[in-house]
Amino acid sequence: MPADRIHLVRHGEVHNPDRVLYGRIPGYRLSELGERMADAAAASHAAHPPVRLVASPLQRTQESAAPWAERYGLEIVADADLIEPHNRFEGTHVRTAIRDVRNWPYLVNPWRPSWGEAFSSIAERMMRAVDTAWNSVDTGEVVLVSHQLPIWMVARTVARQRLAHDPRARRCTLSSITSLERRDGRFVEVDYQEPARDLLAQSTDLGAV
């Protein structure tokens, strides 16, 4: 038998005093508030302890996975399929960068998007990670710690919605948990929780464009 349920967990708030789009830039750790968010996410599953823990290799996701590892005695397995997509605007203030005519060639197709990894590519690798996780255990629940856009690509894929979307409309807050099960041969979303909801008003969330 494979897993019972897959949980896609977004990382907590990142320490980002310059408020740039950090993407895959190394060195971006969780803020103190982000650590509390990650703790809240892990604590929310005390009644259903996961049996396997997988995370994107970036620092903020590894740190967000740490409370799960400590609480449930799990090893953090790194999976590059869960990583944040590359983005031409990493390290910049996006609203300023898009006004620069030198960047306009990267903005020609927001439905792909032309400034970074294609939505279809993100969805493909994320669904591969989900499928791998589903078959990695004989029973129990598996936690995958990832990023906003990759998780949102999974949510839209399993809902059979087009991948192109307005980034402002993503339903994937910091430390949120999107849960999947496999039914009749396909993955479906069965739950969405925001364990850190009480902390969100204090946070700064610069999700990838």
Side-chain angles (χ1 to χ4, degrees):
M1 295 292 291
D4 298 318
R5 186 170 283 195
I6 303 293
H7 302 287
L8 294 161
V9 181
R10 189 183 172 201
H11 61 78
E13 184 194 59
V14 175
H15 179 68
N16 181 18
D18 295 328
R19 299 175 67 89
V20 299
L21 182 68
Y22 37 78
R24 293 186 182 182
I25 300 173
Y28 279 88
R29 59 176 174 82
L30 292 185
S31 65
E32 181 179 345
L33 182 64
E35 292 174 350
R36 291 166 57 196
M37 289 177 160
D39 285 337
S44 73
H45 268 245
H48 299 277
V51 297
R52 185 172 172 82
L53 176 62
V54 188
S56 155
L58 295 180
Q59 182 175 348
R60 60 189 180 273
T61 37
Q62 290 287 308
E63 291 177 350
S64 295
W68 295 82
E70 293 166 7
R71 181 177 288 268
Y72 303 112
L74 300 173
E75 174 189 2
I76 303 173
V77 178
D79 185 348
D81 277 342
L82 298 173
I83 200 169
E84 183 85 274
H86 66 81
N87 193 304
R88 296 280 187 176
F89 298 113
E90 287 178 5
T92 72
H93 297 91
V94 175
R95 291 185 180 180
T96 301
I98 62 177
R99 298 191 194 102
D100 187 334
V101 295
R102 293 170 296 183
N103 290 325
W104 288 0
Y106 303 132
L107 301 171
V108 294
N109 184 2
W111 304 115
R112 180 185 182 275
S114 50
W115 54 78
E117 184 180 2
F119 292 140
S120 58
S121 172
I122 302 168
E124 180 180 5
R125 62 177 170 81
M126 285 296 293
M127 293 308 299
R128 181 170 62 236
V130 168
D131 190 66
T132 297
W134 183 258
N135 290 295
S136 67
V137 297
D138 294 330
T139 189
E141 303 186 5
V142 181
V143 166
L144 307 181
V145 186
S146 187
H147 309 267
Q148 184 192 67
L149 177 53
I151 294 172
W152 190 231
M153 289 295 90
V154 172
R156 293 186 73 85
T157 296
V158 301
R160 297 182 175 179
Q161 297 175 335
R162 61 181 300 186
L163 299 180
H165 64 284
D166 182 344
R168 296 169 297 181
R170 292 177 190 157
R171 183 222 55 192
C172 188
T173 61
L174 295 164
S175 290
S176 61
I177 304 176
T178 302
S179 301
L180 309 176
E181 290 181 2
R182 194 176 185 98
R183 297 177 180 175
D184 299 323
R186 60 180 295 267
F187 287 104
V188 296
E189 183 179 317
V190 294
D191 195 24
Y192 173 78
Q193 298 288 332
E194 295 181 342
R197 177 184 292 273
D198 292 344
L199 302 174
L200 292 174
Q202 309 168 45
S203 68
T204 299
D205 185 0
L206 296 178
V209 295

